[in-house]
């Protein structure tokens, strides 16, 4: 029964991708259906930034000058949140997007996170998300202090800003107080800040073209042929053309998806080998810090290898074998990293080749150069 089910599954995939399939255990396509999701990270927050206007500098330009300023000059901007807060929020957004990048593949569907990396991704996502909301909640709780801080800064420094922008003239009475109050008043209220800050993920199944597309076309053809019997032959011909296009589009999408993953897996291995090789070049010993970093990078690359690509596994096995040797010699480890970098780069170049003969399972066939 198992053999029959396996044969039926392979025949179904063969009909979908439209190529001869020699081995489908495992394939990227089946693994993608079964072992991964598309993740989108959404980070929104009020940047605490307003465009600096002429009136903030105490200037009262004529309409013509005001138009010139709007079209030809950017005066810059003013921060309405403490610099440390803005820096922390930017950092958490970058950390989240970086974490998603290291745990996923970039595909035409979005960031594909295989199941082997999903736990690592969610742990990092939740840590950064919680830190982000902590900053937001502190900002709401300390809102009055933030407003006071911005007010105090503008009260203190706006006179000097006025003199710089107005040829050294002293600001008029009440200018500093009015400017400080106006700028501090542009800080969003606590309720709006709560609504404007979000750090969330969306998770989707891989949107591979499905047989339902062909089923829909078949149903439409039957319906049309029943209603328009005299045009049945024409409709059938049109259906066959549409159906052929569905399968062609599906094949293109699947091959683009698989090619992209194969390339990025090779890039990940090539990148880690090149990075550590450059670190070790010219050194006579390997520091604990370097070995720890290399082990961490190898673990990340293994997690990305959810398809069990034998070539990538072999490269990583070679690096780990050198790390686990009784005597870790920098020269020998450097040589291995150089060989792995070269081999992965060659594979990367081959998978980038826009050769129409490139098939779905070619990179994973051990009889080929890619394997």
């Amino acid at each position: 029964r198992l053999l029959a089910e396996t044969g039926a599954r392979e025949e179904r995939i063969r009909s979908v991708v439209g190529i001869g399939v020699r081995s489908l255990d495992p394939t990227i396509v089946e693994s993608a259906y079964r072992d991964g999701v598309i993740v989108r990270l959404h980070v929104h927050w009020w940047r605490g930034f307003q465009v600096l206007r002429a009136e903030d500098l105490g200037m009262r330009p004529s309409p013509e000058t005001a138009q010139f300023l709007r079209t030809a000059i950017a005066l810059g901007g003013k921060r309405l949140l403490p610099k440390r807060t803005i820096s922390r929020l930017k950092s958490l957004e970058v950390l989240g997007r970086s974490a998603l990048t290291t745990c996923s593949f970039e595909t035409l569907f979005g960031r594909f996170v295989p199941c082997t990396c999903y736990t690592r991704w969610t742990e990092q996502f939740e840590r950064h998300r919680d830190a982000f909301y902590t900053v937001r909640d502190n900002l709401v709780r300390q809102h009055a202090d933030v407003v006071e801080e911005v007010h105090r800064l503008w009260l203190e420094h706006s006179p000097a800003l006025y003199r710089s922008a107005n040829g050294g003239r002293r600001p008029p009475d009440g200018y500093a107080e009015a400017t400080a109050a106006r700028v501090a008043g542009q800080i969003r209220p606590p309720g709006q800040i709560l609504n404007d800050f979000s750090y969330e993920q969306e998770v989707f199944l891989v949107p591979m073209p499905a047989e339902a597309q062909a089923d829909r076309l078949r149903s439409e053809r039957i319906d049309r042929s029943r209603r328009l019997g005299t045009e049945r032959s024409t409709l059938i011909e049109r259906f066959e053309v549409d159906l052929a296009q569905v399968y062609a589009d599906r094949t293109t999408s699947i091959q683009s998806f698989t090619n992209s993953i194969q390339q990025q897996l090779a890039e990940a291995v090539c990148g880690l080998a090149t990075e550590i090789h450059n670190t070790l070049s010219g050194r006579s010993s390997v520091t604990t810090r370097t070995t720890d970093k290399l082990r961490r990078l190898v673990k990340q690359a293994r997690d990305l290898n959810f398809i069990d690509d034998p070539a990538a596994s072999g490269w990583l096995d070679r690096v780990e074998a050198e790390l686990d040797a009784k005597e870790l010699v920098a020269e020998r480890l450097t040589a291995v990293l150089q060989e792995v970098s070269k081999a992965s780069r060659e594979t990367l170049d081959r998978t980038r080749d826009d050769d129409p003969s490139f098939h779905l399972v070619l990179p994973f066939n051990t009889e080929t150069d890619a394997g």
Side-chain angles (χ1 to χ4, degrees):
R1 179 184 174 185
L2 180 60
L3 290 175
E5 290 178 351
T6 301
R9 184 175 68 251
E10 292 188 1
E11 181 60 34
R12 184 169 63 253
I13 293 177
R14 184 182 294 108
S15 68
V16 169
V17 299
I19 61 175
V21 180
R22 289 193 296 268
S23 173
L24 289 173
D25 188 22
T27 68
I28 299 179
V29 174
E30 286 204 6
S31 296
Y33 275 121
R34 184 181 62 242
D35 296 333
V37 291
I38 300 297
V39 173
R40 295 175 186 168
L41 177 63
H42 301 287
V43 183
H44 303 287
W45 53 282
W46 178 52
R47 306 288 160 162
F49 179 91
Q50 288 282 348
V51 174
L52 188 66
R53 301 186 182 280
E55 53 265 31
D56 295 324
L57 304 175
M59 300 170 63
R60 295 293 183 268
S62 66
E64 294 77 12
T65 302
Q67 178 62 27
F68 172 73
L69 290 173
R70 285 192 295 270
T71 58
I73 297 178
L75 294 177
K78 51 183 181 284
R79 293 192 187 96
L80 301 179
L81 292 176
K83 184 178 180 180
R84 61 185 180 278
T85 300
I86 295 175
S87 297
R88 179 58 173 158
L89 291 168
K90 285 182 179 178
S91 175
L92 289 169
E93 179 174 359
V94 170
L95 287 171
R97 299 196 185 283
S98 176
L100 181 57
T101 298
T102 59
C103 295
S104 67
F105 296 92
E106 183 179 5
T107 73
L108 70 165
F109 304 121
R111 303 297 317 190
F112 174 75
V113 180
C115 63
T116 49
C117 293
Y118 191 72
T119 297
R120 176 157 58 94
W121 153 245
T122 53
E123 288 175 350
Q124 295 184 65
F125 163 71
E126 290 171 358
R127 182 168 67 253
H128 300 322
R129 179 198 60 191
D130 293 347
F132 178 88
Y133 284 133
T134 296
V135 175
R136 180 201 65 179
D137 294 343
N138 287 338
L139 184 58
V140 170
R141 186 168 53 253
Q142 300 167 3
H143 186 270
D145 294 335
V146 171
V147 172
E148 176 58 31
E149 180 179 342
V150 171
H151 184 276
R152 183 177 64 254
L153 283 172
W154 278 84
L155 188 63
E156 178 181 352
H157 296 286
S158 60
L161 191 61
Y162 181 95
R163 288 192 293 271
S164 297
N166 292 275
R169 295 194 302 272
R170 292 183 56 185
D173 293 341
Y175 164 78
E177 291 79 2
T179 301
R182 185 178 67 254
V183 173
Q186 293 174 335
I187 298 176
R188 295 184 179 179
Q192 191 173 355
I193 289 176
L194 284 172
N195 293 331
D196 291 343
F197 281 59
S198 65
Y199 199 107
E200 302 298 334
Q201 67 165 333
E202 283 186 287
V203 179
F204 305 88
L205 294 177
V206 179
M208 287 294 190
E211 292 181 3
Q213 292 173 293
D215 294 338
R216 177 179 57 79
L217 286 173
R218 184 177 293 107
S219 176
E220 290 178 357
R221 183 202 66 166
I222 293 172
D223 181 63
R224 288 196 301 263
S225 66
R226 286 174 178 171
R227 290 185 292 105
L228 305 170
T230 57
E231 300 180 12
R232 188 170 186 273
S233 60
T234 303
L235 293 172
I236 290 176
E237 181 179 351
R238 178 180 174 183
F239 163 74
E240 296 297 343
V241 172
D242 289 348
L243 185 60
Q245 186 60 50
V246 168
Y247 281 118
D249 292 344
R250 180 184 306 164
T251 301
T252 300
S253 296
I254 290 175
Q255 289 182 339
S256 297
F257 179 78
T258 56
N259 291 0
S260 176
I261 287 180
Q262 175 68 4
Q263 290 173 16
Q264 290 174 71
L265 182 57
E267 286 174 350
V269 177
C270 183
L272 79 86
T274 302
E275 179 181 349
I276 301 300
H277 176 270
N278 292 339
T279 301
L280 291 175
S281 294
R283 296 190 179 184
S284 58
S285 62
V286 185
T287 65
T288 301
R289 181 178 179 180
T290 300
T291 57
D292 288 345
K293 181 178 181 179
L294 182 53
R295 289 185 189 279
R296 185 169 62 254
L297 292 173
V298 168
K299 172 63 167 58
Q300 291 177 1
R302 284 202 185 280
D303 287 346
L304 286 174
N305 188 18
F306 74 105
I307 53 178
D308 293 329
D309 174 26
S313 295
W315 298 329
L316 297 173
D317 288 343
R318 290 192 61 191
V319 175
E320 282 194 328
E322 202 60 48
L323 285 173
D324 294 336
K326 290 184 178 179
E327 183 180 0
L328 181 57
V329 179
E331 184 178 358
R332 195 165 58 225
L333 177 58
T334 301
V336 168
L337 290 170
Q338 189 172 22
E339 292 172 9
V340 168
S341 177
K342 180 181 178 181
S344 57
R345 188 176 292 111
E346 289 174 351
T347 297
L348 181 59
D349 291 339
R350 280 197 296 273
T351 59
R352 282 175 172 164
D353 186 7
D354 191 22
D355 185 351
S357 66
F358 182 91
H359 290 328
L360 177 65
V361 296
L362 179 60
F364 311 106
N365 179 359
T366 55
E367 297 177 357
T368 68
D369 292 337

